[in-house]
Amino acid sequence: MSSMSRILLAEDDNDMRRFLVKALQNAGYEVTSYDNGLSAYHRLREEPFQLLLTDIVMPEMDGIELARRASELDPDIKIMFITGFAAVALNPDSAAPKHAKVLSKPFHLRELVNEVQKMLAAA
């Protein structure tokens, strides 16, 4: 197990993405980020990540599809959705992995980092 947990972030809002990357790096995580689900998925196929942090509404491949495929590649990957549309993620009919955590926008960075720490500690 590497000392640093690796997080893959998929978020199509540039400001939000930079903001999140900075906060997570400051908290000691190694973060790789993409502005669309498809690119993030291709990266996931190349190497393992401990956590997938993804927006739900994105071009090319939405976050739920990305999460579903990520879980197929690695059943142990932790998944957190960040979204302004919590109802979408929590819809029981959606294909979202059941163990996924949902963080609704707007949220405080401290809250995000706390949730990420909790999820990764639960390994």
Side-chain angles (χ1 to χ4, degrees), residues 35-81:
D35 64 1
N36 70 83
L38 199 56
S39 301
Y41 174 62
H42 289 314
R43 185 63 183 269
L44 269 175
R45 293 176 60 177
E46 290 166 13
E47 55 183 322
F49 287 84
Q50 279 71 51
L51 173 70
L52 169 64
L53 187 57
T54 179
D55 192 4
I56 289 184
V57 183
M58 289 185 295
E60 295 190 69
M61 184 189 290
D62 69 32
I64 290 176
E65 175 70 7
L66 172 62
R68 199 177 59 71
R69 294 192 185 193
S71 292
E72 282 171 5
L73 287 172
D74 176 7
D76 294 329
I77 195 170
K78 304 279 201 312
I79 294 163
M80 189 188 298
F81 292 116

Side-chain angles (χ1 to χ4, degrees), residues 66-116:
L66 172 62
R68 199 177 59 71
R69 294 192 185 193
S71 292
E72 282 171 5
L73 287 172
D74 176 7
D76 294 329
I77 195 170
K78 304 279 201 312
I79 294 163
M80 189 188 298
F81 292 116
I82 36 178
T83 181
F85 308 95
V88 177
L90 296 172
N91 179 345
D93 303 330
S94 83
K98 299 290 171 258
H99 60 280
K101 167 92 187 141
V102 180
L103 197 58
S104 301
K105 297 173 188 170
F107 51 79
H108 290 290
L109 285 179
R110 171 50 44 203
E111 192 186 345
L112 169 79
V113 170
N114 285 344
E115 289 298 339
V116 165

